[in-house]
Amino acid sequence: MSNWTISNFAAKLRAFRQSRSANVAMMFGIALVPVMIAAGAGLDMARSMMARSAMSEALDAAALAVGATQNNQNLTAAQAQILAQQYFLANYKAGSSYGPTPTLGTPIINGQSVTLSASQQVPTTLLAVGGIHSLNISTSSTVVWGQTKLWVTLVLDNTGSMTETDSTGTSKISALKTAATQLLTILQGASHAVGDVQAAIVPFSKDVNVGTGYVNVTWIDWTDWESQPPNVTVSSTNDSSTINGNVGPGSACPFTTSSNRVKSPYGYYCTSSPANSASTTSTIPSSGTYKGYICPGVDPGNYNSGRLGRYYNGCYNSTPTQTATTTKTQSTPTTIKYACTSINSGSPSCSQSSSNTGSTTTNTSTATTAGYTGDSGPTTTNSSSSSTSDGTQNCSTRRSTTTCTWTRTTVTTSVATTVTAVAAAPYSHQWVVNTHSTWSGCLMDRNQNYDTTADSPSAASSSLFPAENAQSCVPSIVTPLPQTWTSGQWTTLSNQINAMTANGSTNQTIGLDHGMMTQTSGASPYDPPTLPSNTTRYIILVSDGLNTQDRWYGDGSDQSTSVDNRMAATCTNAKSAGFVIYTIFVDLGGTQGNSTVLQNCASDSSKYFDLTTSSALITTFNTIGQQITALRVAR
């Protein structure tokens, strides 16, 4: 800065005012000085602003370089200074007319930010006439990376169509695993301290799977899971009910209408046991653990709206009201003939001459008595009876010796009596529910409008989470945010992603809804920790298809406008709650067209991606990862 001061200038003005020797030319010349100074001030200020802008741009580049390097490795103060100086000089574009190279301050690194400052003396032009030979300028730049805190939930389509491959032979589920795993690496790298960045995973199809560890919690609604088929009638009389009194062990399955098992209005068959995986059968088991059990199979949804692909978790038993006792008598005669000889009326001497066993005669009778205490028998009792008869004697006498001969016949009858007591119609029938331990862990949509919110369930059953066992039950389990985040959680998430398998139809609504709940503090079922201050919540939703089925609507194949409407409501609620939403639609070859509901769900147009190849998932996830953890200049 020049030594010329305002006081010097004031003294010169006083001298000028007191002078008596001035003339017009002198007065004009002297008046020209402040005019030139004023003009010069404008010009030199513009030059200094240009110099400051060039210095600021170079400083931003240097700060970004230091921040990017510091984000991946810890720099020493000397390393940071050298790196900053290199990038600053490489990007400083002002010429030598703007003065000497600016002086760069020592980088200040604090947590996830770095601050750089620089100063410079810009030489003046016209201001120099007034004694001002330079102007001091300075600026600073602060770069932060990531956010102070990040919560990210990956809502990932695990439906059956994710097994489809593109022209390179890469399946969508395979590419999704690679992309999601790489994103976890980016997120982990953006965490300056353990827990600054946290992530959760919500695989979805028609429903979500929270795992069977929640089987005893109070927020599950078992009403639908335990229910019997709505279109089955039951009685203990011989009437027209679906299951009447004559239906019991060994009977034909009442859910079929012909010997070739054409589907009846019930839409399902009998199964051999209560297990969801049990084989179909045309007759009711007549022996074993499930004797008399009448078990409906999976519902195709043709006649019971909203039950497509869902299992019934129970069977009707068959309890007899009478006992039928059957007595079977089997009689078998055996005839033996003997040749007998007697001399002078003495004791006969007999020897067997033949033996013959006759045909068995069977007599069966059944008596029915009221009441039933259990099956018994068969119990067999054996007995026998014999009869002997002699034929006509033939006698002759010679030398006073009389010899007589005849045939003796012995008939022995063996009798076997078998008594069997069994259950007898009419049968009464009760619905027997499977134990909750057979639950697969899957949840359906909550009752409307809880299905679109992250509201925690209350004592009101309408807000609880309904359990279901279904063919569309996604195998992969939700991995929520733990109460205490540890570095090992990244491995847990990676393992969970690699274990994903594809199954079922598409319901984006339930995936997004549970994605919200994984980040809503105090909300069941996931109960994440309290949201730290200065934390941005992200949801990244990936789906390869249009919505086809939820708890109420859709056939699992065609797009359902009703399901889309539930999805749109969920998106609105999520954005209102402050979530930043990215949506990715994987449409191989562009055959399905645009997904309007996903496009509208994204927080803005830049956060919606319409992909036509599987491999594009990988680059898109990397782009999103860089965006949400990117370095940013914050002045």
Side-chain angles (χ1 to χ4, degrees), residues 132-482:
I132 303 174
H133 298 287
S134 64
L135 294 175
N136 277 343
I137 60 172
S138 63
T139 187
S140 66
S141 177
T142 299
V143 164
V144 297
W145 47 95
Q147 304 285 335
T148 303
K149 307 282 184 186
L150 287 179
W151 279 9
V152 182
T153 296
L154 307 183
V155 179
L156 306 178
D157 190 329
N158 275 213
T159 58
S161 57
M162 288 293 288
T163 59
E164 183 183 2
T165 59
D166 61 14
S167 58
T168 68
T170 304
S171 70
K172 289 178 281 189
I173 191 68
S174 174
L176 179 60
K177 291 179 182 181
T178 301
T181 301
Q182 290 182 1
L183 177 60
L184 292 181
T185 301
I186 294 173
L187 294 176
Q188 184 179 9
S191 183
H192 183 72
V194 174
D196 282 354
V197 180
Q198 300 186 25
I201 300 171
V202 179
F204 73 91
S205 58
K206 171 188 168 291
D207 43 27
V208 295
N209 192 334
V210 297
T212 57
Y214 292 104
V215 68
N216 293 318
V217 298
T218 58
W219 43 258
I220 293 182
D221 181 5
W222 295 100
T223 304
D224 193 276
W225 192 90
E226 296 175 343
S227 65
Q228 58 185 310
N231 58 342
V232 170
T233 56
V234 179
S235 75
S236 59
T237 62
N238 186 18
D239 58 17
S240 59
S241 298
T242 309
I243 304 175
N244 59 43
N246 283 342
V247 177
S251 299
C253 173
F255 306 137
T256 53
T257 57
S258 66
S259 59
N260 62 359
R261 300 173 62 218
V262 173
K263 287 186 177 180
S264 72
Y266 307 101
Y268 42 80
Y269 302 124
C270 291
T271 58
S272 58
S273 78
N276 294 155
S277 59
S279 60
T280 59
T281 178
S282 59
T283 58
I284 299 169
S286 56
S287 62
T289 303
Y290 301 110
K291 176 182 178 180
Y293 270 52
I294 308 166
C295 305
V298 65
D299 199 316
N302 300 26
Y303 305 97
N304 296 318
S305 178
R307 290 209 63 97
L308 173 62
R310 291 166 58 185
Y311 291 105
Y312 292 100
N313 299 290
C315 303
Y316 297 96
N317 64 12
S318 298
T319 302
T321 60
Q322 297 189 100
T323 301
T325 302
T326 300
T327 302
K328 181 173 70 173
T329 302
Q330 293 180 307
S331 300
T332 304
T334 299
T335 301
I336 301 176
K337 291 187 176 184
Y338 299 90
C340 296
T341 301
S342 174
I343 299 175
N344 295 330
S345 300
S347 297
S349 173
C350 300
S351 61
Q352 181 176 329
S353 60
S354 65
S355 176
N356 178 55
T357 299
S359 299
T360 299
T361 302
T362 302
N363 294 314
T364 302
S365 62
T366 300
T368 302
T369 57
Y372 176 70
T373 57
D375 291 357
S376 63
T379 301
T380 301
T381 301
N382 295 310
S383 61
S384 65
S385 60
S386 298
S387 62
T388 301
S389 61
D390 288 341
T392 302
Q393 292 185 355
N394 183 17
C395 299
S396 62
T397 301
R398 185 178 180 184
R399 296 180 182 177
S400 69
T401 299
T402 300
T403 301
C404 296
T405 61
W406 69 93
T407 299
R408 176 171 289 176
T409 303
T410 299
V411 178
T412 301
T413 303
S414 299
V415 179
T417 303
T418 302
V419 178
T420 304
V422 296
Y427 295 91
S428 63
H429 307 282
Q430 298 291 329
W431 179 250
V432 181
V433 178
N434 294 351
T435 63
H436 290 174
S437 62
T438 62
W439 175 49
S440 61
C442 274
L443 299 176
M444 297 186 292
D445 305 88
R446 288 198 286 178
N447 291 335
Q448 300 178 12
N449 289 318
Y450 288 106
D451 63 316
T452 65
T453 74
D455 294 347
S456 187
S458 63
S461 60
S462 60
S463 67
L464 301 180
F465 293 84
E468 82 160 346
N469 280 5
Q471 290 179 319
S472 287
C473 183
V474 58
S476 304
I477 297 173
V478 173
T479 306
L481 299 179

